[in-house]
C-alpha cells in the first residue's frame, strides 16, 4: 500500500510511452505496468502523477481541490483489495468540471476506468 509520486518529466514521458490511456467522463487516465525505478521493485509501489495545469482552471484553489481529490481517489484505490495496483504507474489528467462532480460518481468512474486497464 505504498504510493509514491512521479516527479520528473522523464518519468512522465516513460509512463506516457508505455502506458494505456482511457478517457473517463471527467478525467483521462494513463496506466503503465512497468516500474520506473528498479531499486523500488521489491516494495511494489504505486506511482502517481497528476497534470493539473492552468488550462484546467485559472484559480489555484480549484486546481488544489482537484489534486486533493485525485490523491484521495488513489488512496482508496490502493486500499481496495479487488484491484491490484502493485507495480503500476498512474497519471491522472482531470477535465474541466472535475471539481463539480459528486465524489461518489468520481470514485465509481475512477475505479471502473482503472479496472479496465489493470
Amino acid at each position: 500500500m505504498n504510493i509514491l509520486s512521479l516527479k520528473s518529466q522523464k518519468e512522465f514521458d516513460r509512463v506516457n510511452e508505455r502506458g494505456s490511456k482511457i478517457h473517463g467522463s471527467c478525467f483521462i487516465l494513463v496506466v503503465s505496468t512497468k516500474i520506473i525505478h528498479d531499486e523500488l521493485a521489491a516494495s511494489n509501489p504505486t506511482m502517481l502523477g497528476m497534470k493539473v495545469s492552468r488550462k484546467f482552471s485559472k484559480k489555484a484553489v480549484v486546481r488544489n481541490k482537484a489534486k486533493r481529490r485525485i490523491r484521495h481517489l488513489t488512496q482508496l484505490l490502493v486500499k481496495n483489495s479487488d484491484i491490484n495496483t502493485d507495480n503500476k504507474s498512474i497519471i491522472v489528467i482531470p477535465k474541466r468540471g472535475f471539481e463539480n462532480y459528486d465524489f461518489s460518481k468520481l470514485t465509481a468512474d475512477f475505479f471502473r476506468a482503472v479496472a479496465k486497464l489493470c
Side-chain angles (χ1 to χ4, degrees):
M1 281 195 350
N2 212 359
I3 301 175
L4 301 176
S5 64
L6 298 171
K7 296 193 188 308
S8 68
Q9 185 62 42
K10 188 177 178 180
E11 293 174 341
F12 276 89
D13 290 341
R14 284 184 186 164
V15 174
N16 279 324
E17 288 172 6
R18 298 177 184 168
S20 305
K21 272 189 185 179
I22 191 163
H23 294 263
S25 60
C26 49
F27 54 81
I28 300 169
L29 275 180
V30 182
V31 178
S32 174
T33 56
K34 303 221 178 197
I35 189 85
I36 301 293
H37 302 288
D38 293 330
E39 65 270 8
L40 297 174
S43 63
N44 292 332
T46 300
M47 305 290 284
L48 173 65
M50 293 181 269
K51 292 183 182 179
V52 186
S53 66
R54 289 189 69 191
K55 186 177 179 182
F56 174 72
S57 175
K58 299 291 183 196
K59 297 181 180 180
V61 173
V62 175
R63 292 193 307 268
N64 291 339
K65 181 179 180 181
K67 290 177 191 176
R68 285 193 306 270
R69 285 180 144 201
I70 291 169
R71 277 189 220 105
H72 189 71
L73 285 170
T74 308
Q75 288 173 355
L76 292 175
L77 179 72
V78 170
K79 288 179 184 176
N80 187 1
S81 62
D82 297 339
I83 302 170
N84 184 14
T85 58
D86 291 344
N87 207 10
K88 301 242 188 301
S89 299
I90 302 170
I91 295 177
V92 182
I93 307 165
K95 294 180 181 178
R96 289 188 183 176
F98 178 85
E99 72 280 359
N100 298 328
Y101 278 91
D102 186 39
F103 193 75
S104 60
K105 183 180 181 324
L106 280 177
T107 305
D109 197 23
F110 190 74
F111 277 43
R112 189 178 322 111
V114 174
K116 280 183 186 178
L117 291 177
C118 296

